[in-house]
């Protein structure tokens, strides 16, 4: 049983703005999305459009958070080495 496809073009989910439907495969809809950083990605709707969805960006958010954690860790190590 297939659900009726709802057009989510133009909607924004976290850092992703939906540009349009890319394709439907095996009852799953895949959407072309533009990230705030400018990257275009094609994602399955379940991965970004619901409260429980984990995809919040094209991957840039993960890279930014990882870099921030590493900077904080290095700063902490540098401060403890000097004391």
């Amino acid at each position: 049983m297939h659900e009726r496809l709802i057009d989510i073009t133009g909607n924004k989910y976290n850092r992703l703005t939906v540009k349009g439907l890319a394709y439907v495969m095996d009852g799953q809809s895949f959407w072309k999305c533009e990230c705030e950083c400018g990257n275009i990605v094609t994602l399955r709707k379940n991965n970004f459009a619901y409260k429980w969805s984990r995809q919040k960006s094209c991957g840039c958010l993960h890279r930014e958070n990882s870099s921030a954690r590493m900077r904080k860790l290095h700063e902490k190590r540098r401060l403890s080495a000097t004391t």
Side-chain angles (χ1 to χ4, degrees):
M1 184 165 155
H2 296 280
E3 291 185 30
R4 201 172 92 218
L5 187 64
I6 298 171
D7 187 13
I8 59 172
T9 302
N11 290 2
K12 185 165 176 144
Y13 302 94
N14 298 297
R15 291 186 173 193
L16 299 168
T17 302
V18 180
K19 293 299 182 181
L21 180 66
Y23 58 92
V24 177
M25 183 172 66
D26 297 329
Q28 297 289 322
S29 58
F30 290 78
W31 297 83
K32 187 179 286 188
C33 301
E34 183 176 5
C35 186
E36 287 179 359
C37 71
N39 286 339
I40 303 289
V41 290
T42 301
L43 301 168
R44 190 174 71 176
K45 183 179 175 185
N46 288 353
N47 291 348
F48 70 90
Y50 299 103
K51 286 182 184 179
W52 47 264
S53 299
R54 297 182 67 192
Q55 188 90 29
K56 306 217 180 309
S57 70
C58 67
C60 63
L61 180 60
H62 175 74
R63 289 188 296 275
E64 289 171 15
N65 290 340
S66 294
S67 294
R69 281 193 303 273
M70 291 305 292
R71 276 193 302 278
K72 189 175 180 179
L73 176 65
H74 288 299
E75 182 66 27
K76 191 182 287 186
R77 285 182 179 170
R78 190 173 8 168
L79 289 175
S80 66
T82 60
T83 56

